[in-house]
Amino acid sequence: MNLKKINPNLQQALTEAGLVEANELQQHTFSAIKSGADAVIQSALGSGKTTTIVLNVIQKLEKAQGESTRALVLVLGKEQVLETVEMFAQLGKYTDLRVIGVHEKTDMDEDKNQISAGMDILVGTPTKINAMFSSAGFNMTTIKIFATDDADEIVRLRQDSFIQRLSMSVEKMQRLFFCSQITEKLEILADKIMVEPLFFEDEE
């Protein structure tokens, strides 16, 4: 994929997955995300937002490290959890990054055990992640990158309080919203939790 200074292991996995050319969304946002800036990224459905999250998280984390979770990815529901975890497996195949997906149907105690044994990336639904956080299921203070996919939908479902609560527990981390529409509520939330966020909007 034609992105500047992309990790060679990630590059190989992308090529094998048929992702040879970076699309517009990936080209426009890669450098900003790599720099650690907070960002709100709006693009149409099917434009590769989830792929963009996954490749950027892999690029930033590179390899397994310690026992603490370093990336948190919030997604809309169980189906999205499974799809995102599968994408991490595919694009992270040449790394040793450890990924777990949690949703309303996964067992809380089992999830906690897996996380405490050592985990790099946690993918989950807002309600499940909030319940885990409330019961000390994982430590937010080690999170370096916090990405929310379908952020506009999650906010529309009035789950923005979960995002705010999780975000407020860590002072220094990168916060990313990916959405199909930048709504007023999403802008208000970004204003509350992000530091000078960059806004990327699809021209179409």
Side-chain angles (χ1 to χ4, degrees):
M1 198 177 260
N2 51 333
L3 294 167
K4 200 174 180 182
K5 293 183 180 173
I6 190 166
N7 180 294
N9 290 328
L10 173 59
Q11 176 79 281
Q12 188 178 345
L14 284 162
T15 303
E16 288 177 15
L19 299 165
V20 182
E21 294 289 324
N23 67 17
E24 235 173 275
L25 173 68
Q26 286 140 11
Q27 284 176 355
H28 287 164
T29 59
F30 187 70
S31 293
I33 295 173
K34 199 162 74 162
S35 76
D38 287 355
V40 178
I41 297 156
Q42 177 269 327
S43 191
L45 282 170
S47 60
K49 290 190 286 292
T50 306
T51 308
T52 305
I53 291 173
V54 171
L55 76 86
N56 276 286
V57 169
I58 294 170
Q59 171 75 21
K60 288 184 87 73
L61 299 191
E62 291 188 340
K63 59 186 178 184
Q65 189 179 306
E67 291 180 1
S68 300
T69 311
R70 292 177 293 144
L72 174 62
V73 182
L74 286 192
V75 297
L76 203 50
K78 177 187 172 183
E79 191 181 327
Q80 288 85 352
V81 169
L82 299 176
E83 284 172 6
T84 307
V85 168
E86 172 57 35
M87 195 175 287
F88 270 115
Q90 187 180 28
L91 300 187
K93 65 194 283 189
Y94 296 113
T95 76
D96 57 355
L97 288 168
R98 301 153 299 178
V99 186
I100 182 177
V102 300
H103 50 77
E104 282 64 32
K105 300 288 183 191
T106 57
D107 181 81
M108 180 74 87
D109 290 332
E110 198 179 310
D111 294 339
K112 285 183 185 180
N113 289 339
Q114 280 194 68
I115 290 166
S116 62
M119 197 57 57
D120 299 292
I121 302 159
L122 176 58
V123 180
T125 58
T127 46
K128 179 70 175 207
I129 294 289
N130 186 59
M132 288 181 77
F133 180 60
S134 299
S135 63
F138 72 101
N139 185 2
M140 269 300 288
T141 59
T142 59
I143 301 290
K144 303 293 180 204
I145 179 168
F146 178 14
T148 305
D149 204 359
D150 293 314
D152 48 337
E153 278 299 299
I154 287 171
V155 168
R156 189 182 67 78
L157 293 169
R158 298 184 177 177
Q159 295 176 346
D160 45 316
S161 60
F162 298 156
I163 298 174
Q164 192 170 343
R165 182 176 180 225
L166 291 163
S167 181
M168 293 304 193
S169 64
V170 188
E171 194 176 333
K172 283 189 179 178
M173 69 176 170
Q174 183 177 22
R175 297 161 174 88
L176 302 169
F177 286 164
F178 286 77
C179 59
S180 298
Q181 276 186 310
I182 298 177
T183 61
E184 188 182 351
K185 282 184 177 178
L186 192 61
E187 278 197 67
I188 290 167
L189 182 59
D191 222 28
K192 280 180 184 171
I193 69 169
M194 291 184 175
V195 179
E196 297 179 0
L198 301 173
F199 283 81
F200 294 89
E201 295 186 57
D202 198 338
E203 297 301 318
E204 289 180 18

